[in-house]
Amino acid sequence: MGDSMGTDTGRKIRVLVAKPGLDGHDRGAKVVARALRDAGMEVIYTGLRQTPEQIVAAAIQEDVDVIAMSILSGAHNVLFPKVMDLLREKGVDDILVVGGGIIPDEDIPALKECGIADIFTPGTSTSETVKFIEENVKRRS
Amino acid sequence: MMWNIKQGYVSLAMQRLRRLVHVYVGGIVELNQSNLKGELDRWKSTTYGKTCARFPERREKFEGTSGIEVQPVYTPLDTEGIDYLEDLGFPGEYPYTRGVQPTMYRGRLWTMRQYAGFATAEESNERYRYLLEQGQTGLSVAFDLPTQIGYDSDHELALGEVGKVGVAIDSLADMEILFNEIPLDKVSTSMTINAPAAVLLAMYIAVAEKQGVSPEKLNGTIQNDILKEYAARGTYIFPPKPSMRLITNTFEYCSANVPNWNTISISGYHIREAGATAVQELAFTLADGIAYVQAAIDAGLDVDEFAPRLSFFFAAHNDLFEEVAKFRAARRLWARIMKERFGAKKEKSMRLRFHTQTGGSTLTAQQPDNNIVRVALQALAAVLGGTQSLHTNSRDEALALPSQESVMIALRTQQIIAYESGVADTIDPLAGSYYVEALTTQIEEAAADYIRRIDEMGGAPMAIERGFIQSEIEESAYRYQMEIESGDRIVVGVNEFYIEEEPPKGLLKVDPAVADLQCKKLADVKASRNGEAVEKSLEALKAAAEGTDNLVPYILDAVREYATLGEICDTLRGVFGEYKPSGAY
């Protein structure tokens, strides 16, 4: 794992780990949050039941570089794109957005199409997620 | 009231010490324990030690999920502290270590109960009738998340969630369809519903009335366990205090009106799935159970009035012996708590009856057919552990809701264990295994130790409030994940023995049109009911919530008028407020 320091300013990568929708399965979100923190990132976890509006507002307010969303209820096809739409509405295009959870392979292309950088499904190691974020984070504010 | 579990264990330790000096006389062979100790030491330093020196074992240390070290071999020395009559007893007798029923599966097999429900009431009804035709013996209803959190399908927070993880129920009209042509006096129905449990129970009673079935003939369970929602599962609505009131209200209402109903299913399952070890699952579940019993006693109920209808729900994971020991320890520990701590007099109050579900979090998205084998092992553990009912997960649950074919394999797995394996033919067949008995005692003691710590914090609600239970679970979940990533823990097909594979086919998909359909049905119900009567019933409920009456009769009145789940819960939200977790970081 790298040191997760932004090369431009030396600022740590800031990540919002978010649970959109109503499902309470946040074991994965919490494990990922801790792994990102152990990899040297600053992590904010939203807690459960966040609306897309709340997630986007938190991301802007906390000035994060990355939004990592987790859904296990099957609502991803509705809620992930909604987050992307809201980000675009707010003129935000430099936040890296990734998703995870129980997400069927066949749903992934459309989610990527709408701007989710990658989707991590069950069995993904946290080090893969860390590496992906380090290599793909867009901004160093 | 603080119960000194320590004291209990001091006297237990004294008994064990006394028994140390016992000499076992078995026919012509006289085996002295100190001889055995000497012989074991000799074996360790010679036969075993020499081999280990030449061929080291696979690991330096073997451990179960709970961190209890597993010895190379177990002998009578490991069970010498156990008094057969006092610690094990006979099936159907205190402390129920060997099972809660006198004949166990020789009399009647466990209830095969597959958790199911998706999309609309019509589709779920079809799945239930299919399962009953396939030989399933009880129903288990999965509700979608808006239903579990008390929102109607047209609520903005229901967006994308309607019919996804279970069936959408907005009003009695949906419930009537859900149980269409299913005689409620013939089946037992378990409903995974917590915060609005009283509302769904009221709907069930109302459907039964329409079928001509009186409440005393109803059999089933509502989960109704709010503490584990705060700690691990997340579908809470109200703050703890009014939530506990709703729970004790259902205890009271059912003991008078629905006597065969299990009024709560105190659940370790979700605690385990969130990452807890076997010991933590047991400890936190029984700590929650203690809180419910105390709350009901504090509300003025007699322990022997409601305790016989308490039930439990545990997970079965892969470590077969640890799981069996956990189930046996659970019965013994609960029996002692009920008798010694709460002074229960009725035998039924001391019996820990439980449902088991195989461990969803142990299933892999990789090589999903391997999950059939995992489920079979876990189901075997549940049966060897004496479960009263069982849900076996389907192979595709790490990918989607299960397909009909996968559900059938899962049900067949139970039937093969029941009818072909022979394990159901004698009671508690692993009793007397040096390993299983030693492990049962170790797990019981470790769980009792946790319970003592939770008592010192002021009980489970306080331990949850302080985040203790959540952080213990999170710590275990993280450790487990790191063990997988370091290769210390092998998960077949995930970090070892992997293959390139095609994406799985035939996964169940819920039609997104379900949400629109459900909203239309909801609008129809609202248009056709007596609006004035609905309003009146909700006003009465509001007034009752502000006072101290039992709320169940008011909820039942509102349900009968086709007040929706969302309207009823909103009425209660208006009085009780909503729970806001402090845990986000």
Side-chain angles (χ1 to χ4, degrees), chain B residues 170-171 203 529 534 537-538 558-559 561-565 567-568:
Chain B
D170 291 321
S171 75
M203 288 185 186
R529 64 187 184 178
V534 171
S537 71
L538 292 175
V559 159
E561 298 296 344
Y562 294 85
T564 68
L565 175 69
E567 289 166 340
I568 293 169

Side-chain angles (χ1 to χ4, degrees), chain B residues 464-539:
Chain B
I464 291 165
E465 186 67 42
R466 285 171 52 171
F468 170 74
I469 288 177
Q470 297 90 316
S471 70
E472 289 290 299
I473 296 170
E474 278 167 43
E475 193 62 39
S476 298
Y478 195 63
R479 192 169 56 236
Y480 180 88
Q481 179 65 24
M482 291 304 117
E483 284 168 8
I484 291 172
E485 297 196 11
S486 68
D488 199 36
R489 176 185 293 278
I490 302 294
V491 181
V492 173
V494 174
N495 62 355
E496 270 288 1
F497 316 114
Y498 31 76
I499 51 170
E500 287 297 317
E501 50 186 334
E502 291 286 306
K505 292 189 178 67
L507 296 180
L508 184 134
K509 242 187 139 55
V510 175
D511 186 347
V514 161
D516 295 337
L517 188 70
Q518 191 61 28
C519 290
K520 193 186 166 298
K521 279 165 63 184
L522 176 60
D524 290 348
V525 165
K526 284 187 176 174
S528 62
R529 64 187 184 178
N530 179 344
E532 214 171 291
V534 171
E535 214 163 289
K536 239 177 99 187
S537 71
L538 292 175
E539 271 163 26

Side-chain angles (χ1 to χ4, degrees), chain B residues 359-472:
Chain B
S361 65
T362 68
L363 303 184
T364 64
Q366 294 72 21
Q367 304 175 48
D369 285 351
N370 293 344
N371 293 328
I372 297 171
V373 182
R374 293 189 179 97
V375 168
L377 283 170
Q378 296 164 6
L380 180 64
V383 170
L384 291 171
T387 196
Q388 276 59 62
S389 61
L390 179 61
H391 165 103
T392 34
N393 285 331
S394 297
R395 60 181 164 172
D396 43 7
E397 290 187 41
L399 300 157
L401 286 184
S403 67
Q404 191 123 317
E405 191 197 346
S406 300
V407 172
M408 190 174 76
I409 295 171
L411 179 58
R412 293 290 179 258
T413 304
Q414 294 198 37
Q415 290 161 335
I416 290 167
I417 292 171
Y419 297 105
E420 298 184 18
S421 76
V423 298
D425 297 348
T426 187
I427 301 165
D428 189 26
L430 290 183
S433 149
Y434 305 126
Y435 178 34
V436 171
E437 292 299 356
L439 200 51
T440 301
T441 302
Q442 283 177 305
I443 288 176
E444 181 190 7
E445 286 174 356
D449 190 51
Y450 256 123
I451 292 171
R452 184 181 49 73
R453 286 165 68 189
I454 291 167
D455 278 339
E456 283 168 6
M457 292 176 204
M462 283 304 295
I464 291 165
E465 186 67 42
R466 285 171 52 171
F468 170 74
I469 288 177
Q470 297 90 316
S471 70
E472 289 290 299

Side-chain angles (χ1 to χ4, degrees), chain B residues 37-316:
Chain B
K37 176 85 175 64
E39 282 295 290
L40 179 65
D41 288 344
R42 180 197 56 74
W43 174 80
K44 277 187 178 165
S45 59
T46 58
T47 313
Y48 173 73
K50 279 181 193 158
T51 302
C52 283
R54 286 179 61 204
F55 308 105
E57 291 182 333
R58 287 182 291 113
R59 314 176 69 92
E60 267 183 33
K61 200 172 161 189
F62 292 78
E63 276 182 0
T65 67
S66 307
I68 294 171
E69 189 170 355
V70 181
Q71 301 302 321
V73 72
Y74 288 80
T75 69
L77 289 171
D78 296 293
T79 58
E80 65 190 359
I82 295 171
D83 180 285
Y84 182 84
L85 290 176
E86 206 165 293
D87 298 326
L88 301 180
F90 292 99
E93 291 182 5
Y94 187 84
Y96 305 102
T97 312
R98 306 208 58 186
V100 290
Q101 288 125 0
T103 59
M104 286 303 290
Y105 308 135
R106 289 165 63 96
R108 193 175 73 82
L109 291 164
W110 63 92
T111 303
M112 299 178 192
R113 194 191 293 283
Q114 298 296 92
Y115 184 45
F118 60 99
T120 58
E122 285 85 353
E123 281 176 86
S124 297
N125 173 263
E126 203 176 301
R127 176 70 69 94
Y128 297 157
R129 287 197 281 158
Y130 169 82
L131 285 165
L132 291 170
E133 276 163 28
Q134 295 300 314
Q136 172 165 298
T137 47
L139 295 177
S140 174
V141 182
F143 297 102
D144 72 357
L145 286 163
T147 305
Q148 293 188 50
I149 304 174
Y151 296 125
D152 287 338
S153 297
D154 59 359
H155 193 282
E156 59 165 333
L157 286 173
L159 184 70
E161 308 276 13
V162 176
K164 285 281 163 55
V165 303
V167 59
I169 299 293
D170 291 321
S171 75
L172 180 58
D174 294 320
M175 205 73 161
E176 288 163 4
I177 297 164
L178 191 65
F179 294 105
N180 185 31
E181 288 183 44
I182 298 172
L184 297 190
D185 53 344
K186 301 278 191 319
V187 295
S188 73
T189 303
S190 170
M191 294 191 274
T192 298
I193 195 76
N194 292 278
V199 185
L200 274 298
L201 173 64
M203 288 185 186
Y204 194 81
I205 294 170
V207 172
E209 281 169 356
K210 297 202 168 205
Q211 287 189 0
V213 176
S214 59
E216 64 269 22
K217 291 211 182 92
L218 295 177
N219 278 284
T221 308
I222 40 175
Q223 201 162 73
N224 208 17
D225 170 10
I226 201 66
L227 291 173
K228 65 91 175 57
E229 297 296 332
Y230 301 132
R233 189 169 177 273
T235 67
Y236 41 74
I237 303 176
F238 314 113
K241 224 178 171 153
S243 295
M244 294 300 267
R245 172 184 171 190
L246 278 168
I247 291 165
T248 51
N249 280 177
T250 53
F251 287 4
E252 189 184 32
Y253 184 85
C254 288
S255 77
N257 301 285
V258 204
N260 296 319
W261 197 264
N262 297 312
T263 51
I264 192 166
S265 171
I266 305 161
S267 305
Y269 184 81
H270 319 90
I271 292 171
R272 187 69 179 278
E273 287 294 290
T277 65
V279 164
Q280 289 170 338
E281 176 194 6
L282 176 57
F284 300 156
T285 308
L286 297 198
D288 287 349
I290 288 168
Y292 295 124
V293 172
Q294 192 61 55
I297 290 172
D298 291 348
L301 307 185
D302 177 72
V303 66
D304 285 314
E305 283 296 306
F306 67 85
R309 298 320 304 172
L310 303 177
S311 64
F312 288 82
F313 173 21
F314 293 110

Side-chain angles (χ1 to χ4, degrees), chain A residues 22 27 38 45 49 73 126, chain B residues 161 236 273 478 485 585:
Chain A
L22 300 180
R27 173 178 181 166
D38 284 355
Y45 172 50
R49 294 192 209 167
S73 71
T126 56
Chain B
E161 308 276 13
Y236 41 74
E273 287 294 290
Y478 195 63
E485 297 196 11
Y585 52 85

